[in-house]
Amino acid sequence: MINSVIFDIDGTITDTEYPAMEALRITLEQKAGLHYTHEQLKKYFGIPSADTLVALNVPDPDGSIVKSWSSLFCEMAKEHTKIFDEIVPVLDILKANKITLGVVTSKNKIEFNESFVPLGLCNYFKACVDSEMTEKHKPFADPLNKFFELTGAFKQNALYIGDSIFDYQTARAAGVTFALAGWGCCNPEGIFPDYYFHRPTDLLNLL
């Protein structure tokens, strides 16, 4: 029986792929002289900023590139972020039915506070875990385990919903049932979810 549901944010609750990757593209061009297309960068959507730069072999010893990317993303997200259709009604129904709700995201604290908090959804969630709350990030189990530590929820009764392979790997590492948010997934390759949701209301059919 599932009695707690944990959501990723980007690509699951909110549509932020464009501002996140466009901000990265511009930052890499301006700060590192590197030229990527938006399409080339999409596969890095959904992982912590510092880990993305490591994957791209972009040195950032003082963290200035990450800070610039984060700042530009937060600015662009004000105009380009939207909540996916059906998310709010689904959250209303889950909360009314006493389902413990949470967020586990790769956003850092500034990104969370500036691009997610203003959307007015935080009151739905018992705990929100950002990337600065654990030493290890996705795809390690630590972020999900932090949620269980904060809430006292049991992982055998939990469902994690995300849109990327990093969300999937995090769920597997933590031993948590995983559902793929098909409405926001850009790269399904290598993801073998327990459930595939075409739209947010599919979650209600499962519960």
Side-chain angles (χ1 to χ4, degrees), residues 11-116:
T12 303
I13 293 176
T14 59
D15 184 357
T16 52
E17 183 266 323
Y18 175 79
M21 296 298 95
E22 191 64 10
L24 173 59
R25 186 192 67 77
I26 294 170
T27 300
L28 290 176
E29 185 174 300
Q30 294 179 344
K31 298 295 183 180
L34 299 173
H35 301 277
Y36 287 93
T37 67
H38 189 100
E39 287 298 314
Q40 288 173 321
L41 295 173
K42 281 176 64 173
K43 65 181 178 181
Y44 300 105
F45 180 60
I47 65 174
S49 304
D51 294 344
T52 296
L53 295 187
V54 170
L56 289 168
N57 294 312
V58 178
D60 189 26
D62 61 356
S64 61
I65 295 179
V66 165
K67 291 177 183 176
S68 295
W69 177 16
S70 179
S71 177
L72 182 56
F73 165 69
C74 289
E75 186 62 31
M76 294 181 69
K78 293 175 184 177
E79 180 179 354
H80 295 287
T81 294
K82 68 175 184 177
I83 302 170
F84 280 111
D85 293 341
E86 299 183 349
I87 287 291
V88 172
V90 166
L91 292 175
D92 284 332
I93 292 170
L94 294 177
K95 188 172 183 179
N97 283 275
K98 311 300 183 184
I99 301 294
T100 299
L101 300 176
V103 158
V104 168
T105 178
S106 293
K107 289 180 180 292
N108 62 39
K109 196 170 297 295
I110 292 175
E111 292 167 345
F112 179 83
N113 288 335
E114 294 194 12
S115 68
F116 186 70

Side-chain angles (χ1 to χ4, degrees), residues 55-200:
L56 289 168
N57 294 312
V58 178
D60 189 26
D62 61 356
S64 61
I65 295 179
V66 165
K67 291 177 183 176
S68 295
W69 177 16
S70 179
S71 177
L72 182 56
F73 165 69
C74 289
E75 186 62 31
M76 294 181 69
K78 293 175 184 177
E79 180 179 354
H80 295 287
T81 294
K82 68 175 184 177
I83 302 170
F84 280 111
D85 293 341
E86 299 183 349
I87 287 291
V88 172
V90 166
L91 292 175
D92 284 332
I93 292 170
L94 294 177
K95 188 172 183 179
N97 283 275
K98 311 300 183 184
I99 301 294
T100 299
L101 300 176
V103 158
V104 168
T105 178
S106 293
K107 289 180 180 292
N108 62 39
K109 196 170 297 295
I110 292 175
E111 292 167 345
F112 179 83
N113 288 335
E114 294 194 12
S115 68
F116 186 70
V117 171
L119 298 176
L121 300 179
C122 289
N123 287 339
Y124 286 103
F125 305 108
K126 188 171 182 180
C128 296
V129 179
D130 63 54
S131 67
E132 295 183 35
M133 295 174 68
T134 58
E135 183 175 348
K136 293 182 178 179
H137 311 127
K138 300 176 186 180
F140 293 96
D142 300 45
L144 277 175
N145 287 338
K146 186 66 175 181
F147 168 81
F148 297 119
E149 174 190 327
L150 292 172
T151 63
F154 296 103
K155 63 176 58 181
Q156 61 266 31
N157 300 117
L159 177 70
Y160 184 43
I161 306 174
D163 66 294
S164 75
I165 193 168
F166 308 102
D167 299 322
Y168 166 68
Q169 290 170 339
T170 297
R172 286 291 177 263
V176 174
T177 301
F178 179 73
L180 183 64
W183 60 88
C185 180
C186 297
N187 301 291
E189 294 81 8
I191 304 176
F192 305 98
D194 299 291
Y195 300 99
Y196 185 100
F197 294 157
H198 293 275
R199 51 193 294 182

